[in-house]
Amino acid sequence: AGTGDRLNGIVVAGVNSPYGRRVTNNHTNLFGPRLGFSWDLFGTQRTALRGGYGIFYTRPLIGTFLNNSFGNPPFSRSVSIQNPPLDNPGGGVAAPISVPSLTSLADPLYAPTIDQWSIGVQQSLPLRSTVSVAYVGSRGRHLMRPVSINDAPPVASRTVNINTVRPYLGYGNINQRESTGTSKYHSLQVSLNRRLAGRFSLGLAYTLARSMDDASSDRNDTDIPPDNNNPGAEWGPSDFDRTHVFTGNWIWHLPNPVSGRLLGAVVNGWELSGIVRAYSGKPFDVVMTQDVALVGSSTNNQRPDVIADTNGPRTVEQWFNTAAFARPASGTFGNMRRNSIRGPGVQKVDLAIFKNFRPHQRLRAQVRAEAFNAFNTPIFNAVGRTLTTTSTGVNPALGNFGVVTGTADARVMQLALKLTF
């Protein structure tokens, strides 16, 4: 077990655990109230005011920690010797020996907690339709997040081995999972739904939202704060935040104009449907290729200084302004805020046409032709964000910095036959 303000104990797969056979502390006094109401505002059964509040808890992924902890001593230990003077051991210098890195679990752990609330109005409309407008929000406390707790203090230059100035001597990087993350979510949610009537149904939904946190994952190394002494500086849009989300769907059973059995088998029984999706892009930030602050972190999430507007032409060759960044002074962290650049959005239409048959009283058949991303709209889903960094500056022209590097599936078409008997 280690000591210190944050490393109160390193638990290795239950070995030397202060909780016996348990990996961490248990929680038996959690209180999760739920409250909801629905009010017929005008007594007409057409307008309803609905709302609610609740406290919810979740379990951390302790199993993932246990899997990772088998890379800790005593289960795993490797030593690297760089350039050993084997040709003349008696006259050589001592070869540098690496120190082990660890995966640790904070002690104690608090139960990840989510407060959720909502209030909205639902209005019944003609044509079997309903419109809904609601505000939905949440707040997260004690959320799991990774923190690199054995980084050395940042300095402008260093002449000694970094492992000699780490807070916990004898170890390299220590990536700790701890329940110190927070989040907030606010949204306006609007929907219009028409139940299937007169051969037609329709659903439309729009969300204007903002999700903020200081870590969007409990184990992704990309969520490790560059400055472990200032994790609050990581407050920004969540990795999965989308400002605008619109979806629409419809089903249309075409009329059956022909009554004849033979001709009706061809003309009747057609059905059209579709789904439309339009989302804002998710946020991301730029990371440098060097440990400019000289803290020795194994996952270099350090961001550069922003010296100009980061908005760019939003083309495949250059999504954002690649000239908007500079190298921070050695021993410092850049001023770029976490997740301050928006990636590409999504515009996608799926279409389908069905033909229904009834060849026998007890047998129904449906021929389906479906096209996903029917108009083959490019859906970009990755942008190069790694900025080549040197000891004196940055070079945005190298690599794929600012270039769109990935796309989602192009158009996919399929045919199917469905039999019901």
Side-chain angles (χ1 to χ4, degrees):
T3 59
D5 294 334
R6 303 181 71 165
L7 188 64
N8 297 324
I10 300 177
V11 182
V12 183
V15 176
N16 297 326
S17 170
Y19 303 104
R21 298 183 63 182
R22 296 197 306 269
V23 175
T24 185
N25 57 298
N26 202 358
H27 299 279
T28 58
N29 59 347
L30 301 179
F31 178 58
R34 318 287 167 82
L35 172 67
F37 70 91
S38 180
W39 179 24
D40 184 357
L41 280 176
F42 307 112
T44 61
Q45 299 184 359
R46 298 183 61 85
T47 307
L49 177 67
R50 305 179 188 272
Y53 171 82
I55 300 177
F56 304 84
Y57 302 93
T58 186
R59 290 179 176 269
L61 293 176
I62 301 298
T64 300
F65 163 76
L66 291 177
N67 291 334
N68 293 338
S69 67
F70 282 103
N72 290 345
F75 302 103
S76 175
R77 177 66 193 268
S78 62
V79 175
S80 299
I81 301 177
Q82 305 293 335
N83 300 321
L86 299 180
D87 56 335
N88 184 12
V93 297
I97 299 178
S98 65
V99 294
S101 296
L102 299 178
T103 299
S104 67
L105 197 63
D107 178 29
L109 282 182
Y110 299 96
T113 306
I114 299 292
D115 298 83
Q116 294 182 342
W117 55 86
S118 66
I119 187 168
V121 176
Q122 290 181 314
Q123 176 65 49
S124 177
L125 300 176
L127 301 177
R128 302 182 68 179
S129 301
T130 303
V131 64
S132 175
V133 180
Y135 160 70
V136 179
S138 69
R139 180 184 64 162
R141 296 172 286 135
H142 307 310
L143 304 181
M144 296 296 292
R145 67 181 301 177
V147 177
S148 181
I149 64 173
N150 205 26
D151 289 352
V155 292
S157 63
R158 197 183 303 280
T159 58
V160 298
N161 189 306
I162 195 168
N163 292 323
T164 65
V165 293
R166 293 184 181 272
Y168 304 101
L169 297 178
Y171 299 101
N173 291 283
I174 302 177
N175 289 341
Q176 177 162 284
R177 271 61 177 173
E178 54 186 50
S179 52
T180 58
T182 58
S183 70
K184 286 185 179 180
Y185 174 78
H186 301 284
S187 68
L188 171 67
Q189 301 181 8
V190 182
S191 65
L192 171 66
N193 290 284
R194 184 183 189 272
R195 290 174 291 176
L196 185 61
R199 298 181 172 271
F200 185 75
S201 69
L202 176 68
L204 302 174
Y206 169 73
T207 300
L208 173 65
R210 186 69 161 174
S211 180
M212 303 283 289
D213 59 37
D214 48 23
S216 297
S217 169
D218 60 352
R219 52 179 171 157
N220 287 345
D221 289 343
T222 54
D223 280 306
I224 294 178
D227 184 359
N228 64 2
N229 292 313
N230 188 19
E234 298 304 288
W235 183 259
S238 303
D239 293 349
F240 44 81
D241 175 65
R242 294 187 187 273
T243 305
H244 304 281
V245 175
F246 171 80
T247 60
N249 64 84
W250 69 89
I251 300 175
W252 183 21
H253 296 271
L254 273 65
N256 297 327
V258 177
S259 58
R261 182 175 180 180
L262 199 57
L263 186 58
V266 177
V267 178
N268 299 339
W270 290 93
E271 179 181 336
L272 303 177
S273 67
I275 301 175
V276 177
R277 282 162 284 192
Y279 309 152
S280 297
K282 294 188 291 187
F284 66 95
D285 49 31
V286 170
V287 295
M288 298 183 294
T289 57
Q290 279 195 359
D291 177 10
V292 173
L294 299 180
V295 296
S297 177
S298 62
T299 54
N300 187 27
N301 296 330
Q302 296 177 32
R303 298 183 288 269
D305 282 338
V306 177
I307 57 175
D309 187 358
T310 59
N311 289 325
R314 293 183 175 268
T315 62
V316 173
E317 294 78 16
Q318 185 179 354
W319 185 257
F320 54 84
N321 180 12
T322 57
F325 310 97
R327 185 187 191 276
S330 297
T332 65
F333 299 96
N335 62 16
M336 184 180 187
R337 302 292 298 177
R338 171 175 168 261
N339 284 347
S340 55
I341 301 178
R342 286 281 168 177
V346 174
Q347 295 84 40
K348 184 179 180 182
V349 178
D350 300 334
L351 297 175
I353 181 170
F354 305 150
K355 179 66 174 73
N356 297 299
F357 300 90
R358 193 159 189 170
H360 189 271
Q361 184 177 1
R362 296 184 178 182
L363 178 65
R364 297 181 181 181
Q366 184 183 74
V367 177
R368 308 164 65 100
E370 298 165 302
F372 304 95
N373 191 10
F375 301 111
N376 208 27
T377 305
I379 303 175
F380 305 127
N381 59 7
V383 180
R385 67 189 194 104
T386 302
L387 177 60
T388 300
T389 311
T390 68
S391 59
T392 57
V394 297
N395 190 342
L398 295 180
N400 55 13
F401 185 60
V403 178
V404 174
T405 58
T407 62
D409 291 339
R411 178 173 50 220
V412 176
M413 303 181 70
Q414 68 180 24
L415 297 174
L417 173 63
K418 179 180 178 181
L419 298 176
T420 305
F421 55 89

